[in-house]
Amino acid sequence: MTKKAFCKELNRALKKVKRKERAGCINQYEELISDLMENGMSEEEAVNSLGNVKDIADDLMQNMDQDKFVKRDKFLIALVTLDVILMIINIFHYLVNTLLDSIFFSESEISSIGVIGGADGPTSIFVAAKITSPSSVDAMVVAMVCAMVVTVIYVIVKKRKK
Amino acid sequence: MDIQLRKGLLEYCVLAILRDRDSYGYQMIRDISECIEISESTLYPILRRLESAGKVTSYNTEYNNRIRKYFHLTDDGRQMLSDFKSDREQMIKVLDFISKGEKNDEESIL
Protein backbone atom coordinates (compact mmCIF):
# COMPACT_ATOMS: atom_id res chain seq x y z
CA MET A 1 0.00 0.00 0.00
CA THR A 2 1.25 3.52 -0.75
CA LYS A 3 1.33 6.34 1.77
CA LYS A 4 -1.53 8.06 0.00
CA ALA A 5 -3.70 4.94 0.01
CA PHE A 6 -2.92 4.38 3.68
CA CYS A 7 -3.99 7.91 4.62
CA LYS A 8 -7.15 7.61 2.60
CA GLU A 9 -8.07 4.35 4.26
CA LEU A 10 -7.26 5.72 7.71
CA ASN A 11 -9.45 8.72 7.01
CA ARG A 12 -12.32 6.39 6.17
CA ALA A 13 -11.74 4.25 9.26
CA LEU A 14 -11.82 7.37 11.46
CA LYS A 15 -15.06 8.75 10.08
CA LYS A 16 -16.62 8.83 13.55
CA VAL A 17 -13.90 11.21 14.72
CA LYS A 18 -14.23 14.97 14.40
CA ARG A 19 -12.64 16.43 11.31
CA LYS A 20 -9.93 18.43 13.06
CA GLU A 21 -8.80 15.57 15.26
CA ARG A 22 -8.85 13.20 12.30
CA ALA A 23 -6.75 15.51 10.15
CA GLY A 24 -4.24 15.87 12.98
CA CYS A 25 -3.84 12.10 13.27
CA ILE A 26 -3.47 11.61 9.53
CA ASN A 27 -0.83 14.34 9.29
CA GLN A 28 1.11 12.62 12.04
CA TYR A 29 0.99 9.31 10.20
CA GLU A 30 2.08 10.96 6.99
CA GLU A 31 5.05 12.42 8.81
CA LEU A 32 5.85 9.08 10.46
CA ILE A 33 5.84 7.19 7.16
CA SER A 34 8.19 9.79 5.67
CA ASP A 35 10.46 9.43 8.70
CA LEU A 36 10.47 5.64 8.39
CA MET A 37 11.32 5.94 4.70
CA GLU A 38 14.22 8.26 5.45
CA ASN A 39 15.50 5.65 7.87
CA GLY A 40 15.91 3.10 5.12
CA MET A 41 12.50 1.56 4.58
CA SER A 42 10.73 1.51 1.26
CA GLU A 43 7.28 3.11 1.10
CA GLU A 44 5.68 -0.33 1.08
CA GLU A 45 7.72 -1.53 4.07
CA ALA A 46 7.06 1.62 6.04
CA VAL A 47 3.31 1.37 5.59
CA ASN A 48 3.30 -2.37 6.31
CA SER A 49 5.30 -1.88 9.51
CA LEU A 50 2.42 0.14 10.95
CA GLY A 51 0.03 -2.78 10.75
CA ASN A 52 -3.61 -3.07 9.87
CA VAL A 53 -5.43 0.24 9.28
CA LYS A 54 -8.51 -0.88 11.15
CA ASP A 55 -6.48 -1.86 14.21
CA ILE A 56 -4.69 1.48 14.12
CA ALA A 57 -7.99 3.34 13.92
CA ASP A 58 -9.46 1.31 16.80
CA ASP A 59 -6.38 1.95 18.89
CA LEU A 60 -6.44 5.68 18.14
CA MET A 61 -10.10 5.96 19.02
CA GLN A 62 -9.62 4.00 22.23
CA ASN A 63 -7.07 6.57 23.32
CA MET A 64 -9.20 9.57 22.42
CA ASP A 65 -11.48 11.45 24.75
CA GLN A 66 -15.21 11.23 24.24
CA ASP A 67 -15.50 14.83 23.05
CA LYS A 68 -13.39 14.08 19.98
CA PHE A 69 -16.15 12.07 18.37
CA VAL A 70 -18.82 13.32 16.03
CA LYS A 71 -22.21 13.50 17.68
CA ARG A 72 -25.10 12.76 15.37
CA ASP A 73 -27.97 15.20 15.75
CA LYS A 74 -31.04 13.06 15.10
CA PHE A 75 -33.40 16.03 15.09
CA LEU A 76 -31.36 17.77 12.40
CA ILE A 77 -31.22 14.60 10.30
CA ALA A 78 -35.02 14.31 10.54
CA LEU A 79 -35.46 17.97 9.52
CA VAL A 80 -33.17 17.68 6.52
CA THR A 81 -34.92 14.46 5.44
CA LEU A 82 -38.26 16.25 5.63
CA ASP A 83 -36.86 19.12 3.56
CA VAL A 84 -35.62 16.77 0.89
CA ILE A 85 -38.88 14.82 0.71
CA LEU A 86 -40.95 18.00 0.41
CA MET A 87 -38.61 19.37 -2.23
CA ILE A 88 -38.86 16.20 -4.31
CA ILE A 89 -42.66 16.24 -4.07
CA ASN A 90 -42.78 19.89 -5.15
CA ILE A 91 -40.43 19.41 -8.05
CA PHE A 92 -42.43 16.38 -9.14
CA HIS A 93 -45.65 18.36 -8.91
CA TYR A 94 -44.18 21.23 -10.89
CA LEU A 95 -42.83 18.95 -13.60
CA VAL A 96 -46.11 17.07 -13.97
CA ASN A 97 -48.09 20.31 -14.14
CA THR A 98 -45.91 21.99 -16.74
CA LEU A 99 -45.71 18.78 -18.72
CA LEU A 100 -49.48 18.37 -18.78
CA ASP A 101 -49.93 22.04 -19.65
CA SER A 102 -47.54 21.88 -22.56
CA ILE A 103 -49.05 18.65 -23.88
CA PHE A 104 -52.65 19.64 -23.58
CA PHE A 105 -53.61 23.24 -22.99
CA SER A 106 -52.17 26.51 -21.87
CA GLU A 107 -53.61 28.17 -18.79
CA SER A 108 -55.75 30.58 -20.73
CA GLU A 109 -57.15 27.75 -22.79
CA ILE A 110 -58.07 25.86 -19.64
CA SER A 111 -59.92 28.86 -18.27
CA SER A 112 -61.80 29.26 -21.50
CA ILE A 113 -62.81 25.64 -21.30
CA GLY A 114 -64.10 26.46 -17.86
CA VAL A 115 -66.19 29.19 -19.41
CA ILE A 116 -67.51 27.02 -22.21
CA GLY A 117 -68.15 23.93 -20.10
CA GLY A 118 -69.35 25.79 -17.03
CA ALA A 119 -71.49 28.83 -17.39
CA ASP A 120 -71.28 32.49 -18.16
CA GLY A 121 -71.26 35.54 -15.92
CA PRO A 122 -69.99 35.21 -12.33
CA THR A 123 -70.11 31.41 -12.46
CA SER A 124 -67.53 31.34 -15.29
CA ILE A 125 -65.05 33.24 -13.13
CA PHE A 126 -65.65 30.78 -10.30
CA VAL A 127 -65.14 27.74 -12.54
CA ALA A 128 -62.03 29.15 -14.24
CA ALA A 129 -60.46 30.01 -10.89
CA LYS A 130 -61.09 26.48 -9.64
CA ILE A 131 -59.25 24.99 -12.58
CA THR A 132 -56.26 27.35 -12.78
CA SER A 133 -55.22 27.48 -9.10
CA PRO A 134 -54.01 24.13 -7.83
CA SER A 135 -54.29 24.86 -4.12
CA SER A 136 -52.78 21.57 -2.97
CA VAL A 137 -49.43 22.50 -4.58
CA ASP A 138 -49.44 25.85 -2.85
CA ALA A 139 -49.85 24.14 0.51
CA MET A 140 -46.90 21.90 -0.26
CA VAL A 141 -44.74 24.86 -1.24
CA VAL A 142 -45.64 26.63 1.99
CA ALA A 143 -44.80 23.46 3.96
CA MET A 144 -41.44 23.15 2.21
CA VAL A 145 -40.50 26.76 2.86
CA CYS A 146 -41.54 26.46 6.52
CA ALA A 147 -39.50 23.29 7.01
CA MET A 148 -36.46 24.92 5.41
CA VAL A 149 -36.76 28.03 7.55
CA VAL A 150 -37.01 25.89 10.68
CA THR A 151 -33.92 23.94 9.61
CA VAL A 152 -31.89 27.09 8.97
CA ILE A 153 -32.94 28.66 12.28
CA TYR A 154 -32.09 25.42 14.12
CA VAL A 155 -28.61 25.27 12.56
CA ILE A 156 -27.93 28.95 13.35
CA VAL A 157 -29.06 28.58 16.98
CA LYS A 158 -26.92 25.48 17.36
CA LYS A 159 -23.84 27.24 15.96
CA ARG A 160 -24.41 30.18 18.31
CA LYS A 161 -24.54 27.89 21.34
CA LYS A 162 -21.10 26.53 20.50
CA MET B 1 -0.52 -2.83 31.95
CA ASP B 2 -3.95 -1.39 32.52
CA ILE B 3 -4.94 1.04 29.77
CA GLN B 4 -5.88 3.94 32.05
CA LEU B 5 -2.75 3.64 34.16
CA ARG B 6 -0.60 3.36 31.05
CA LYS B 7 -2.20 6.39 29.48
CA GLY B 8 -1.50 8.46 32.57
CA LEU B 9 2.11 7.35 32.83
CA LEU B 10 2.73 7.88 29.13
CA GLU B 11 1.56 11.47 29.44
CA TYR B 12 4.36 12.08 31.92
CA CYS B 13 6.85 10.22 29.72
CA VAL B 14 6.00 12.58 26.88
CA LEU B 15 6.43 15.63 29.10
CA ALA B 16 9.74 14.27 30.42
CA ILE B 17 11.10 13.79 26.92
CA LEU B 18 10.23 17.35 25.98
CA ARG B 19 11.86 18.78 29.09
CA ASP B 20 15.30 19.29 27.56
CA ARG B 21 14.50 19.80 23.92
CA ASP B 22 11.63 19.93 21.45
CA SER B 23 10.91 16.72 19.60
CA TYR B 24 8.72 15.20 16.88
CA GLY B 25 6.58 12.08 16.62
CA TYR B 26 9.02 9.49 15.33
CA GLN B 27 11.83 10.60 17.63
CA MET B 28 9.51 10.58 20.63
CA ILE B 29 8.36 7.04 19.94
CA ARG B 30 11.96 5.88 19.76
CA ASP B 31 12.92 7.69 22.97
CA ILE B 32 9.94 6.55 25.01
CA SER B 33 10.30 2.96 23.76
CA GLU B 34 13.50 2.74 25.78
CA CYS B 35 11.49 2.62 28.97
CA ILE B 36 7.95 1.60 28.04
CA GLU B 37 6.39 0.10 24.96
CA ILE B 38 4.48 2.73 22.98
CA SER B 39 2.89 2.72 19.58
CA GLU B 40 2.17 5.76 17.46
CA SER B 41 -1.55 5.09 17.77
CA THR B 42 -1.18 5.60 21.52
CA LEU B 43 1.15 8.57 21.30
CA TYR B 44 -0.79 10.77 18.89
CA PRO B 45 -3.99 11.06 20.92
CA ILE B 46 -1.88 11.79 24.01
CA LEU B 47 -0.02 14.56 22.20
CA ARG B 48 -3.24 16.09 20.99
CA ARG B 49 -4.74 15.90 24.44
CA LEU B 50 -1.69 17.54 26.04
CA GLU B 51 -1.77 20.20 23.37
CA SER B 52 -5.42 21.08 23.88
CA ALA B 53 -4.79 21.19 27.65
CA GLY B 54 -1.98 23.69 27.04
CA LYS B 55 0.79 21.46 28.41
CA VAL B 56 2.61 21.39 25.10
CA THR B 57 2.54 23.55 22.00
CA SER B 58 3.42 22.53 18.46
CA TYR B 59 4.99 24.24 15.49
CA ASN B 60 5.72 23.10 11.97
CA THR B 61 9.17 23.25 10.45
CA GLU B 62 10.27 22.27 7.01
CA TYR B 63 12.53 19.28 6.80
CA ASN B 64 13.58 17.54 3.58
CA ASN B 65 10.88 19.37 1.62
CA ARG B 66 8.13 18.24 3.93
CA ILE B 67 6.54 19.47 7.10
CA ARG B 68 7.60 18.10 10.44
CA LYS B 69 5.61 18.90 13.54
CA TYR B 70 7.67 19.67 16.61
CA PHE B 71 6.32 19.73 20.13
CA HIS B 72 7.44 22.12 22.85
CA LEU B 73 6.87 21.92 26.60
CA THR B 74 5.03 24.92 28.04
CA ASP B 75 5.47 26.30 31.55
CA ASP B 76 2.18 24.65 32.42
CA GLY B 77 3.56 21.31 31.28
CA ARG B 78 6.76 21.87 33.21
CA GLN B 79 4.69 22.54 36.30
CA MET B 80 2.72 19.32 35.76
CA LEU B 81 5.97 17.39 35.49
CA SER B 82 7.43 18.80 38.70
CA ASP B 83 4.13 18.17 40.49
CA PHE B 84 4.45 14.55 39.48
CA LYS B 85 7.87 14.33 41.07
CA SER B 86 6.39 15.30 44.41
CA ASP B 87 3.71 12.65 43.89
CA ARG B 88 6.44 10.08 43.48
CA GLU B 89 6.74 9.25 47.16
CA GLN B 90 3.01 8.80 47.41
CA MET B 91 3.08 6.50 44.38
CA ILE B 92 5.85 4.33 45.80
CA LYS B 93 3.88 4.07 49.02
CA VAL B 94 0.84 2.88 47.06
CA LEU B 95 2.93 0.39 45.09
CA ASP B 96 4.45 -0.97 48.28
CA PHE B 97 1.02 -1.23 49.83
CA ILE B 98 -0.29 -3.19 46.85
CA SER B 99 2.65 -5.59 46.73
CA LYS B 100 2.55 -6.08 50.51
CA GLY B 101 -1.00 -7.35 50.13
CA GLU B 102 0.24 -9.68 47.44
CA LYS B 103 2.93 -11.13 49.72
CA ASN B 104 0.35 -11.84 52.39
CA ASP B 105 -1.80 -13.60 49.82
CA GLU B 106 1.06 -15.86 48.83
CA GLU B 107 1.85 -16.70 52.43
CA SER B 108 -1.73 -17.57 53.21
CA ILE B 109 -1.85 -19.88 50.18
CA LEU B 110 1.31 -21.63 51.29
Side-chain angles (χ1 to χ4, degrees):
Chain A
M1 206 188 326
T2 62
K3 180 164 82 172
K4 214 174 158 188
F6 174 86
C7 292
K8 213 172 158 186
E9 217 166 288
L10 186 60
N11 189 39
R12 203 172 307 146
L14 290 174
K15 64 172 187 287
K16 283 183 196 158
V17 178
K18 279 186 184 164
R19 195 183 298 249
K20 203 177 154 203
E21 183 77 7
R22 197 180 346 151
C25 287
I26 288 166
N27 286 342
Q28 290 271 261
Y29 271 95
E30 241 181 326
E31 185 191 307
L32 178 67
I33 293 168
S34 301
D35 279 323
L36 289 170
M37 283 162 68
E38 271 158 33
N39 279 277
M41 283 190 191
S42 70
E43 189 169 341
E44 182 93 24
E45 280 171 340
V47 172
N48 286 342
S49 74
L50 300 174
N52 185 305
V53 176
K54 211 189 159 299
D55 292 342
I56 292 172
D58 286 345
D59 213 13
L60 281 171
M61 289 191 280
Q62 200 179 33
N63 284 296
M64 275 176 204
D65 294 335
Q66 217 49 47
D67 64 328
K68 299 286 189 282
F69 291 94
V70 177
K71 275 188 227 89
R72 287 194 186 278
D73 189 336
K74 282 186 186 146
F75 185 63
L76 185 61
I77 292 171
L79 268 180
V80 171
T81 313
L82 184 68
D83 285 345
V84 171
I85 290 171
L86 284 174
M87 204 188 278
I88 290 171
I89 290 173
N90 277 318
I91 290 171
F92 186 71
H93 245 276
Y94 175 76
L95 285 179
V96 168
N97 274 352
T98 48
L99 214 66
L100 284 179
D101 276 0
S102 61
I103 291 173
F104 298 109
F105 307 103
S106 73
E107 210 163 86
S108 55
E109 282 170 322
I110 290 174
S111 47
S112 61
I113 291 168
V115 176
I116 296 163
D120 53 358
T123 324
S124 76
I125 297 168
F126 174 74
V127 174
K130 271 273 173 193
I131 296 171
T132 48
S133 71
S135 57
S136 66
V137 177
D138 287 347
M140 288 305 261
V141 171
V142 170
M144 180 182 78
V145 171
C146 285
M148 281 179 166
V149 169
V150 170
T151 311
V152 170
I153 290 172
Y154 180 73
V155 170
I156 291 171
V157 169
K158 210 180 148 194
K159 281 250 161 107
R160 281 263 173 87
K161 264 189 194 166
K162 272 183 186 171
Chain B
M1 206 187 280
D2 173 68
I3 292 175
Q4 294 302 324
L5 190 59
R6 232 178 96 86
K7 238 201 268 187
L9 283 175
L10 282 173
E11 270 183 27
Y12 288 105
C13 288
V14 169
L15 295 179
I17 277 188
L18 294 174
R19 185 169 38 204
D20 300 326
R21 63 192 157 87
D22 297 352
S23 189
Y24 58 95
Y26 179 61
Q27 185 64 43
M28 289 165 93
I29 292 170
R30 286 214 296 198
D31 290 344
I32 297 175
S33 293
E34 283 174 20
C35 88
I36 183 170
E37 196 196 324
I38 186 171
S39 67
E40 65 292 331
S41 49
T42 320
L43 176 70
Y44 295 155
I46 288 175
L47 280 173
R48 298 187 62 76
R49 184 161 45 239
L50 287 172
E51 193 176 357
S52 60
K55 310 294 182 196
V56 303
T57 52
S58 65
Y59 56 92
N60 292 329
T61 48
E62 214 179 287
Y63 172 84
N64 259 359
N65 289 326
R66 64 188 172 85
I67 283 174
R68 184 178 263 174
K69 194 173 182 182
Y70 272 88
F71 291 88
H72 172 79
L73 192 63
T74 62
D75 291 338
D76 229 17
R78 225 170 268 279
Q79 186 59 44
M80 183 176 158
L81 199 57
S82 57
D83 285 348
F84 182 71
K85 263 189 249 160
S86 55
D87 289 341
R88 188 191 161 101
E89 242 167 72
Q90 176 72 41
M91 277 237 328
I92 289 171
K93 233 175 169 178
V94 171
L95 290 176
D96 281 346
F97 179 78
I98 294 170
S99 52
K100 199 167 79 189
E102 225 166 51
K103 221 175 263 171
N104 287 343
D105 275 352
E106 280 164 17
E107 276 166 17
S108 67
I109 290 168
L110 288 174

